[in-house]
């Protein structure tokens, strides 16, 4: 049985990725959370960059620090971060005055 990690480590995947990069301007992968799936870090290492999506009020600071270290260990280049589903706990009328 072929697992995700074996697929990412295969020469066939490397060849496909190279072909896609020659054909398309951008190749985007939507992956499982990096803290929960080790193959995500492997794919991040093979990419030109990572846009990291963090869900507000769900992901703890310790998990973010762990994933940051994980990306650094594999040599992934973090291009930016999206802080998703942010709630504003202050009334809107106060935000308008800021």
């Amino acid at each position: 049985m072929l697992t995700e990690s074996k697929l990412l480590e295969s020469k066939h995947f490397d060849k496909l990725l190279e072909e896609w990069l020659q054909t398309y301007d951008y190749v985007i992968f939507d992956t499982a959370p990096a803290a929960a799936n080790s193959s995500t870090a492997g794919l991040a290492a093979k990419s030109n960059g990572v846009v990291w999506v963090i869900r507000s009020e769900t992901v703890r600071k310790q998990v973010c620090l762990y994933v940051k270290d994980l990306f650094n260990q594999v040599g992934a280049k973090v291009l930016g971060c999206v802080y998703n589903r942010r709630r504003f706990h202050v009334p809107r009328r106060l935000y308008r005055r800021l």
Side-chain angles (χ1 to χ4, degrees):
M1 185 172 172
L2 188 62
T3 63
E4 285 179 44
S5 58
K6 286 182 182 178
L7 175 65
L8 291 175
E9 294 170 7
S10 73
K11 297 211 183 272
H12 181 68
F13 180 78
D14 290 342
K15 186 178 176 183
L16 273 175
L17 185 57
E18 186 178 319
E19 186 179 310
W20 293 336
L21 291 171
Q22 290 176 0
T23 305
Y24 304 105
D25 293 334
Y26 300 98
V27 178
I28 299 172
F29 293 99
D30 183 9
T31 65
N37 191 330
S38 62
S39 61
T40 299
L43 184 58
K46 293 182 179 209
S47 70
N48 293 334
V50 174
V51 176
W52 189 9
V53 179
I54 299 171
R55 187 172 176 182
S56 172
E57 299 178 15
T58 302
V59 180
R60 295 186 179 273
K61 180 181 178 180
Q62 294 87 350
V63 175
C64 292
L65 294 174
Y66 167 76
V67 172
K68 178 184 171 216
D69 289 340
L70 182 64
F71 285 154
N72 284 335
Q73 287 174 8
V74 299
K77 181 181 177 183
V78 177
L79 301 175
C81 179
V82 176
Y83 193 59
N84 200 9
R85 296 188 183 183
R86 166 76 166 94
R87 291 187 198 173
F88 295 98
H89 299 286
V90 176
R92 286 182 189 245
R93 65 180 180 270
L94 290 178
Y95 278 112
R96 289 184 195 147
R97 293 180 185 194
L98 297 176

